[in-house]
Amino acid sequence: MTAIAGVWGDGAEKMAAMLDAMGRRGGARRAFRHFPPHLHLACGHLPARPGDDVVELEGYGVVLDGRLEAADGRRLAEPGRTIIDLYRSKGIAGFADLRGEFAFGLWDPEGRRLICARDVLGARPLVFRRDQASFAFASEERGLAPLYGREPLCDLRVAEYLIGLAPPSDRGMRASVSRLVPGTAAVFDGDGVQIHRFDALVLPNETTDAPALQAQRFSSLLRDAVARRCAGEAAVDCFLSGGLDSSSLARLAARETADTVRTLSLVDSARPALSERPYIEAAIRDQGFDAHFVEIGDYDPFAGAHAALERHAGPVAAPNLLMMRPVYENARQGAVLLDGHGGDEVVSKGVGRLLDLARAGSWIRLYRELRGVADLYGESAPAMLLALYRGFGPGRHKFAALARRVRRIAGRPQEADESPLDLLSSDFRAVSAIDAAVSARWRPRPATGREAEHEVLTGPQQSYALEVLDREAQDVGVEGRCPFWDRALIDYSMSLPPQAKLQGGWTRFILRQAMAEVLPDEVLWRRDKHDFSSQLREGLWRSPRITPQALEAARSRLSSHLNVDRVIALRRRLDQPDHPVSGDALQALWRIGLWAIWTESIAPGDPACNLKVGGPDVPH
């Protein structure tokens, strides 16, 4: 757990403030080094998880956040020396040989340049900022706050946030801040910044392994990923939701650690039908776990919002984030915290298989698969089949026109949340240029299911989510690790045919096969998975933050960015118990509520208030 920072040029006197700005991550144990003529490097560690200080070797300097592994999986004793040696022998291309999770700054005295690099999976974050007088980098955007001061959020980033679109992988929330894209290095030589890609997640050829061997191989890789992340750790904690991913990690971790694994779970004892407790108890049965449960029956979706806004240097698009905060706080100080994040994307729920069948016109076989998939998404198989037909079936354009005509004749209105862009004010849509940005992100449909799954794995949402999880873990004094987000496991999973992911209506089929001797049957062969959307809906309905009256009272503050009438209409749908509200709509309401809290947190006249769109200045 390390906060790293560096400044080339003006601002070296603010190095301590940069570490301070990163909260607990900045640590109590710190190291500062000057490398002539213009560079200063610094790092901070928490006493519970000491890391490497600034490394100096023959004029070279390295500051590292992360852990590097040898070929056999052991943690390297001198990772800084390894980085320097690789760079001196192979240049930036040598960083592709590094195993593990890393973000670092490297001073090259011979080339007189600073190199910032980040691992290809984005497991460790890194941001940088360039102005006329300096170049600076840090582990988090808030680490650059002593340099950017009260710079407002970028209009386009705000618009992306409000409609639920992850920011591009190379952009921060402020226009002057850039995020380093996974698998790339930023090189600054005093004149300009150049970006070099040294590694990438490419789609491999489809494996020739027989199905039985596929399951064995997948099992071996997942076990190895867990073992490497537990190796040498005195305390291992694990999120446990009762689903396939977290249950697999918890039970595998229990086999790899001498100490008892602590599990951290959300439950709703007041409403057993909405709780995962039976599956959680099945997963921990006879395993000797130290089980901790957090009740969420009276969940307040905005509890701790002010602290979260500070922690993430602005609004963050993660609706369950505040729900999970008490779970993080139950983790042991200095522990490694295993997180099942990445299971959905790496293992996949079989969406690629559905797309392949729809594209091939195999509608009967597709329907058979959908009958098993429907429960997972809370949909009916016929409805899902109809949706896929609209996208891929013959005569689909005529079919869609007929459906619209029938809807008009029947007097059924369009859904109020059809386009999240409609929730924005027309002036702000123009100022932010969000429509053009959305259009620019359009990509043609992938030709195959495997390509569709690869596109998900390499999309900007992945690095964004990992950065959010990293900040949450670091802020409570633990180190988050995601075994599913493992290079060898990802590469092999991408090579699997879509039928390995979805078969006979069973999603995540390869994981079920791989964990057959690890998980109890109740967990291994469950079809559904509770996602806490019911608790989110009830929490939003109860919250005084986004009642129609509260939104109306905040109209003058919100109208510069939002179409308040549409937002209020969307909120009123929560008052109709029998009216379904989509997950996207619930998330939109949560983001808007957090945005309302952010806008009221900045005092009038603050330099961060600079937007004028047909009304008063609005803080953003």
Side-chain angles (χ1 to χ4, degrees), residues 143-345:
L144 298 175
L147 303 177
Y148 65 62
R150 299 302 302 170
E151 179 182 348
L153 304 183
C154 171
D155 289 334
L156 181 54
R157 301 289 87 79
V158 171
E160 290 165 342
Y161 163 78
L162 289 172
I163 68 171
L165 194 63
S169 299
D170 62 344
R171 295 288 184 265
M173 288 296 287
R174 290 153 184 85
S176 70
V177 176
S178 297
R179 294 159 63 212
L180 192 58
V181 176
T184 67
V187 180
F188 180 70
D189 61 5
D191 293 323
V193 181
Q194 293 184 329
I195 304 297
H196 299 262
R197 176 165 290 282
F198 59 84
D199 202 359
L201 280 179
V202 298
L203 182 65
N205 294 328
E206 187 170 317
T207 181
T208 58
D209 291 347
L213 186 56
Q214 292 171 12
Q216 293 174 16
R217 178 66 174 152
F218 192 93
S219 174
S220 175
L221 289 169
L222 181 56
R223 291 168 190 261
D224 179 64
V226 173
R228 285 187 285 108
R229 285 160 178 80
C230 295
E233 297 297 339
V236 175
D237 295 356
C238 188
F239 284 142
L240 179 57
S241 68
L244 282 170
D245 298 337
S246 63
S247 298
S248 297
L249 298 187
R251 290 177 75 95
L252 290 175
R255 301 181 179 191
E256 299 294 337
T257 58
D259 193 17
T260 301
V261 173
R262 173 178 290 187
T263 58
L264 308 166
S265 307
L266 292 173
V267 294
D268 189 347
S269 298
R271 292 168 292 185
L274 299 179
S275 180
E276 295 284 277
R277 188 157 193 152
Y279 297 107
I280 295 169
E281 291 179 341
I284 64 177
R285 189 170 55 224
D286 303 324
Q287 296 293 306
F289 288 106
D290 174 21
H292 284 241
F293 300 93
V294 174
E295 293 284 350
I296 56 168
D298 57 351
Y299 168 56
D300 176 359
F302 300 111
H306 288 286
L309 289 166
E310 180 180 350
R311 190 159 56 246
H312 297 281
V316 55
N320 286 338
L321 186 66
L322 299 183
M323 182 187 291
M324 292 296 297
R325 184 64 181 182
V327 186
Y328 277 101
E329 292 170 348
N330 271 271
R332 290 174 286 185
Q333 284 292 300
V336 158
L337 178 59
L338 300 185
D339 191 321
H341 174 78
D344 283 349
E345 296 81 9

Side-chain angles (χ1 to χ4, degrees), residues 545 550 553-561 595-601 616-619:
R545 287 285 183 181
R555 179 181 289 271
S556 62
R557 197 173 73 245
L558 300 179
S559 59
S560 292
H561 296 78
W595 175 251
I597 295 171
W598 171 258
T599 60
E600 71 183 17
S601 69
D617 287 355
V618 176

